[in-house]
Amino acid sequence: MTEKKRFRGRAVKAVGIAFGCVLVLGGAGAGWVYWHLDHNIRSVDINSALGDDRPARADRAAASPSPSASASASAAQEAVRKGVLNILVLGSDSRSGKENEKLGGGDSGGARSDTAMVVHLNADRSRATVVSIPRDTLVERPSCPTQDGGVTAPAYNAMFNSAYAVGGPVCAVKTVEQLTGVRMDHYLEIDFAGFAKLVDALGGVDVTTDQDIDDDLSHLHLDAGDHHLDGEQALAFARTRHGVGDGSDLGRIELQQQLVKSLLDEAAGSGLLTDPTRLYQVADAATGSLTADTGLDSLSELSGLARSLGGLSADDVKTVTMPVVRAPSDANRVVADEPEASELWESLR
């Protein structure tokens, strides 16, 4: 194994250890820290909302305990450690709260899913595939249940990210499952302000761009080359699209995929495990920005999943984008490129 491969493996493992180490920070303080971090995580019950009218699970061993099960914490951790898992990860363009508004979320009460990735983990956690779905993809948006007991209207040729806007996480999951035919075993969401705080807690992140970026909308102005970004700049880097590639969401996705790997590098090389204060700051920022489904909405479940990924290196993680072509009805939108898109999703079942 090369030194680069070992380093990348430690990067992923550090994420899991960061959650687990809060249990040993000492005495009553550790109890309060665990309680605080555990209660940071917001929860959404995807399974109850969607019921059984969903694609089959890729691997029954990956199923999380049902809400009525009296499983122990250790059993809950075991459920997310084993078996094939598909996790929908969204970055939400939240428009509520002063912090999100300052970071570009706007001044209205809605939200959009600006970033969408399906993370596929194989059964023994030796490989992972991260598939990005362009937000500009035109899809058939299904009717979705709402919190007040109603349903949203179905829509045709709707932008993919509109599902979150009209029906929140539940509709986002249902739309992804209809688009892909793949069951989403879990759901994770991170918001604008939380992402910026996480990057700042890690001490910033290193990125490289091969062209100048001059985007007034995302407030990002970078010369081509290497840069160390703080949280606000990293968020702009993840959001920028104008002046990158052809100005579409595809160029932005490439930047987002680079940012994910750079964050793992930063977590490994920042000395977190020898600095309890910074370790807590990172864990607080990470959990404080998360919304998770009921199978991943506790610190024990998240740490169990993260530790199961400790053997992965960057060479084991494949990042791809769902194959798309320009939409015949709108040159500014895309549609799934068939049969390539279906073949990709079939490989994740």
Side-chain angles (χ1 to χ4, degrees), residues 58-321:
D59 185 337
R60 286 291 176 182
S64 301
S66 66
S68 60
S70 56
S72 65
S74 60
Q77 289 185 51
E78 194 70 14
V80 295
R81 285 181 188 147
K82 293 184 176 180
V84 174
L85 286 182
N86 290 300
I87 305 172
L88 177 60
V89 180
L90 293 187
S92 67
D93 176 6
S94 176
R95 292 174 171 248
S96 61
K98 292 182 178 179
E99 286 183 294
N100 282 319
E101 182 178 339
K102 176 184 176 183
L103 293 170
D107 56 6
S108 66
R112 299 168 298 182
S113 55
D114 260 11
T115 303
M117 297 179 177
V118 174
V119 179
H120 173 80
L121 305 174
N122 73 336
D124 64 4
R125 303 297 190 267
S126 62
R127 297 186 308 278
T129 302
V130 180
V131 184
S132 296
I133 302 175
R135 55 168 281 182
D136 294 339
T137 304
L138 295 181
V139 300
E140 179 182 337
R141 193 181 69 222
S143 175
C144 302
T146 59
Q147 289 184 337
D148 61 6
V151 294
T152 65
Y156 300 91
N157 285 324
M159 275 184 60
F160 168 75
N161 71 339
S162 70
Y164 184 94
V166 302
V170 170
C171 200
V173 170
K174 188 169 184 179
T175 300
V176 169
E177 290 185 342
Q178 178 165 291
L179 172 68
T180 66
V182 177
R183 172 72 168 252
M184 296 297 110
D185 299 291
H186 293 294
Y187 172 84
L188 291 172
E189 176 188 329
I190 185 168
D191 68 16
F192 264 24
F195 177 80
K197 285 181 179 178
L198 177 59
V199 173
D200 283 335
L202 284 169
V205 62
D206 294 321
V207 300
T208 301
T209 176
D210 58 7
Q211 64 181 99
D212 295 345
I213 297 177
D214 191 16
D215 187 351
D216 289 334
L217 293 179
S218 68
H219 312 296
L220 184 66
H221 304 278
L222 295 176
D223 295 331
D226 300 331
H227 300 275
H228 186 77
L229 308 182
D230 63 18
E232 188 170 344
Q233 292 170 318
L235 179 60
F237 189 81
R239 295 179 62 233
T240 193
R241 64 189 293 179
H242 302 282
V244 178
D246 61 0
S248 73
D249 198 39
L250 301 180
R252 172 164 56 184
I253 284 174
E254 291 181 6
L255 299 182
Q256 292 170 348
Q257 292 173 343
Q258 179 191 162
L259 194 58
V260 167
K261 292 187 176 182
S262 297
L263 281 169
L264 291 177
D265 283 349
E266 194 63 40
S270 60
L272 282 179
L273 302 185
T274 60
D275 189 339
T277 299
R278 289 191 61 233
L279 176 63
Y280 169 76
Q281 291 171 344
V282 170
D284 190 39
T287 55
S289 65
L290 280 181
T291 298
D293 72 281
T294 50
L296 281 180
D297 61 353
S298 74
L299 198 61
S300 61
E301 290 161 342
L302 282 173
S303 61
L305 175 61
R307 284 195 297 270
S308 77
L309 304 178
L312 284 176
S313 74
D315 294 335
D316 304 319
V317 179
K318 181 180 181 180
T319 56
V320 298
T321 301

